[in-house]
Amino acid sequence: MLSARALNLQRITASSSSRTFATAVADAASGVRVAAVDFGQPTSAVTVLVKAGSRFQNKEGVANVLKNFAFKSTAKRSAIGTVREAELYGGLLSASLGREHLALTAEFLRGDEAFFVDVLSSFVTSARFTRHELEEYVKPLVESDAEAVASNPATRALEAAHALAFRSGLGSSLFAPAHNDINVADIKAFASSAFAKGNVAVIGTNIDSSTLNKLVEQSFTAATAAEGSTAAPASKYFGGETRLEGSGGPQTLFIGFGAEGAPSAELAALAAHLSTQPSVKWSKSLSPIATAIPEGAQVQSVYLPYSDASLFGLLVQAESVGGVKEAAKVAVEALRNAAKGLKEEEVKGAVARAKFAAASGVESREGLVNVLGAKIFAGSEVSVESTLSAFDKVNAASFSKAVSSLISAKPTLVTVGDSLNLPHTDELGF
Amino acid sequence: MFGPLGFSLAPYIQSSKTLTSWVKPLANWYANAAGYRQYGFKYDDLLVEENEPVQKALSRLTPREHYDRAFRLKRASQASILHKPLEKNEWTPAAEDVRYLKPHVLEVMKEDAERHKWDTVVVEKK
């Protein structure tokens, strides 16, 4: 009995490991890239990924406004029609913005794909962008986004760090300025450049790839969207220091470094090595930082890979300035030790954790879209195996080389809170 | 039929070429004789605004349209106090007497109708 079950299990794992994650990437006749994968689960999701992240915006905050304009009135249906009809079908519509991509997602029960693909495509091809919707629905959302980030020191620190590290492009904020003069013409101009055919990809999960292909072809060929795709200038790392006032929330310090070029497995391993997230609940992690920082202080390792650059850093937070100072010292020392070289087994452990995080991230829908999104526009093979196999090549020598070249660059330091007393870059030894 | 814009035969008359050619001179004469142009108004300034659709439509005017409307109302109030129409050069020319508010009111009424439709929709399983 037991052996039969074990055998069965083995067969399942064997068949699933042979399956590629995305079964097809087709340049549909419409010129839109399509990838679909079917895990056999009861709800489907379709994500329209547009190269309309904040790095492509031509005016500060336009990308955020465009995100909040999602699912408002189009030539086909009004805003209320979209919402009510989606409710009747029992689906969820959401939009999220990254520095690279704008993702419009519909989650729904199997069988309702025709309606939801139509909702997504009609926004891309025929959104009306009316002035009264901007004033009545969109501006309040944009303001609440900006307000939420203003009261979150960690996000403020990361936004400022991007601006320092990359200046333009990746440096532009995900959020709109509190006082902006974005009007409908700006949004229309940005949308018409962003919704070009080469900028749009459709990723479906739990949906048959031929069905999705057909629907995409139907709904996107009618598009008047222009050919071609937008290209941003290559990212360049600068670095620097800035100190922001912050009232409320913990004292925050971000010390980071940027790397140009495609994201590397070594930096992901470094993030895993320094991560203070324990593998067992209610315990301390084995990270060199976790055991040495004072009680109440937090250090998070932040690794943000983008298509042509990545930002690595440590986010230090504590209630008191003293706690931040001490924890930052510990964190920087751990970073320097990693650059000097780690023991082979330490590197192996870090690589294993990073690989697990990458592999398990793909199991969630958002994680899968993130991974596929990066690849689908690069035109590389759309599978997750190549991401994971990159970790196998990491060894102690390549690890320490990557880390030392990372920290040889000019650091990016952001403090949020008590600007007078939080440490400066030179006080951290850079 | 009796929405915020009131009852109108204009669509029917405009659909017929003969009827239009007969009624138009009369309509133009009436619009001038009504006297609102002599006080610098546009026709949509006279629209009854004490109801929700028109209030919402007013909120959708551009800042410039808002300012101009307020200016016309104030100037006309002053003229009313003086019991005298404006100087002739300040009268609204027929070309400027456009329905700047009507499209917004129609849009709001359409939205209200659609909301009512979705609020009372009966869903049938196929």
Side-chain angles (χ1 to χ4, degrees):
Chain A
M1 178 72 187
L2 193 67
S3 65
R5 273 179 62 188
L7 199 69
N8 213 358
L9 196 69
Q10 218 167 28
R11 200 172 304 136
I12 290 168
T13 47
S15 69
S16 61
S17 67
S18 66
R19 180 172 62 193
T20 53
F21 277 86
T23 44
V25 175
D27 270 306
S30 53
V32 173
R33 297 183 178 90
V34 182
V37 55
D38 196 342
F39 298 119
Q41 288 163 339
T43 62
S44 311
V46 171
T47 300
V48 173
L49 214 57
V50 188
K51 267 166 84 176
S54 60
R55 74 178 295 181
F56 299 106
Q57 70 191 10
N58 43 15
K59 186 173 178 179
E60 214 183 342
V62 172
N64 186 278
V65 177
L66 181 64
K67 178 206 92 171
N68 285 313
F69 238 118
F71 311 119
K72 298 291 175 287
S73 68
T74 65
K76 276 195 176 162
R77 46 180 88 72
S78 66
I80 184 177
T82 307
V83 173
R84 294 292 173 93
E85 223 170 323
E87 275 177 2
L88 290 177
Y89 279 106
L92 288 175
L93 299 171
S94 59
S96 67
L97 180 71
R99 288 198 149 71
E100 300 270 2
H101 304 128
L102 168 68
L104 305 162
T105 304
E107 294 162 74
F108 48 88
L109 294 167
R110 265 172 196 270
D112 297 338
E113 53 268 2
F115 169 73
F116 284 96
V117 170
D118 187 51
V119 166
L120 294 171
S121 70
S122 69
F123 176 67
V124 171
T125 57
S126 67
R128 286 177 57 209
F129 301 119
T130 55
R131 193 167 48 83
H132 70 268
E133 280 178 321
L134 176 66
E135 300 294 336
E136 289 168 19
Y137 304 131
V138 178
K139 282 254 167 97
L141 295 174
V142 172
E143 275 161 28
S144 85
D145 273 1
E147 218 166 287
V149 66
S151 58
N152 183 344
T155 319
R156 276 184 77 195
L158 285 179
E159 288 293 312
H162 277 91
L164 279 178
F166 302 111
R167 297 193 185 169
S168 58
L170 283 175
S172 42
S173 172
L174 289 174
F175 304 94
H179 302 284
N180 60 60
D181 62 339
I182 296 167
N183 57 34
V184 175
D186 297 329
I187 301 160
K188 277 183 184 159
F190 179 58
S192 68
S193 72
F195 291 156
K197 281 173 182 170
N199 280 348
V200 180
V202 180
I203 299 173
T205 49
N206 295 320
I207 185 168
D208 181 46
S209 74
S210 63
T211 318
L212 184 62
N213 248 332
K214 213 166 76 199
L215 287 171
V216 167
E217 227 155 278
Q218 275 170 9
S219 47
F220 282 88
T221 32
T224 50
E227 299 286 332
S229 64
T230 46
S235 300
K236 195 168 162 9
Y237 176 72
F238 294 93
E241 176 173 345
T242 191
R243 314 176 73 75
L244 306 173
E245 284 298 330
S247 53
Q251 305 290 332
T252 304
L253 179 142
F254 176 85
I255 174 102
F257 299 90
E260 290 159 21
S264 71
E266 278 83 3
L267 293 187
L270 175 64
H273 170 65
L274 296 177
S275 169
T276 53
Q277 188 95 42
S279 301
V280 180
K281 216 176 175 184
W282 310 120
S283 69
K284 270 192 174 166
S285 95
L286 287 175
S287 155
I289 298 176
T291 44
I293 54 173
E295 201 65 39
Q298 278 186 340
V299 179
Q300 290 172 50
S301 59
V302 179
Y303 171 56
L304 300 165
Y306 299 105
S307 62
D308 61 349
S310 44
L311 185 67
F312 175 85
L314 294 158
L315 187 72
V316 184
Q317 289 189 304
E319 283 308 317
S320 68
V321 173
V324 170
K325 270 186 181 167
E326 208 174 317
K329 208 181 282 175
V330 171
V332 168
E333 199 186 302
L335 195 56
R336 284 192 186 287
N337 286 341
K340 273 179 216 154
L342 296 177
K343 283 180 233 148
E344 190 67 52
E345 64 265 23
E346 277 181 309
V347 174
K348 269 190 183 153
V351 168
R353 266 173 285 154
K355 194 172 170 181
F356 174 78
S360 73
V362 170
E363 284 178 7
S364 73
R365 190 183 50 73
E366 293 89 356
L368 184 69
V369 169
N370 276 343
V371 171
L372 293 188
K375 290 174 183 279
I376 202 165
F377 284 116
S380 57
E381 184 207 353
V382 181
S383 77
V384 184
E385 278 83 2
S386 60
T387 314
L388 297 183
S389 63
F391 284 104
D392 299 333
K393 296 185 196 105
V394 180
N395 56 37
S398 72
F399 180 82
S400 70
K401 191 168 152 245
V403 178
S404 57
S405 79
L406 177 78
I407 68 169
S408 63
K410 186 181 174 190
T412 299
L413 183 96
V414 181
T415 63
V416 183
D418 187 351
S419 302
L420 281 179
N421 299 316
L422 281 167
H424 288 260
T425 316
D426 47 69
E427 288 167 31
L428 293 173
F430 286 105
Chain B
M1 185 166 127
F2 294 106
L5 289 171
F7 175 69
S8 173
L9 284 174
Y12 171 69
I13 291 169
Q14 277 172 337
S15 70
S16 153
K17 222 171 184 180
T18 332
L19 220 47
T20 310
S21 64
W22 286 359
V23 174
K24 196 122 194 221
L26 193 70
N28 287 340
W29 168 82
Y30 177 77
N32 283 319
Y36 66 88
R37 287 178 182 168
Q38 279 85 319
Y39 280 82
F41 275 128
K42 293 183 180 184
Y43 182 75
D44 271 352
D45 296 336
L46 310 182
L47 198 66
V48 177
E49 63 168 273
E50 285 83 5
N51 56 54
E52 274 179 28
V54 179
Q55 283 299 313
K56 187 144 207 189
L58 285 174
S59 76
R60 293 182 181 182
L61 295 176
T62 61
R64 178 63 201 249
E65 281 169 341
H66 250 302
Y67 181 91
D68 287 354
R69 178 185 161 90
F71 172 73
R72 288 193 300 270
L73 287 171
K74 279 199 165 176
R75 187 176 55 176
S77 307
Q78 175 65 9
S80 169
I81 289 167
L82 299 176
H83 297 288
K84 201 174 113 197
L86 298 174
E87 296 297 323
K88 198 158 187 184
N89 59 356
E90 288 184 300
W91 293 6
T92 309
E96 278 178 28
D97 189 9
V98 287
R99 305 295 302 268
Y100 66 95
L101 192 57
K102 187 182 163 193
H104 294 292
V105 177
L106 287 175
E107 179 92 345
V108 171
M109 283 165 67
K110 213 175 100 194
E111 280 168 27
D112 286 349
E114 195 187 356
R115 184 172 288 272
H116 180 73
K117 183 191 103 185
W118 284 112
D119 281 348
T120 54
V121 72
V122 178
V123 185
E124 282 171 14
K125 193 151 194 174
K126 270 192 270 181

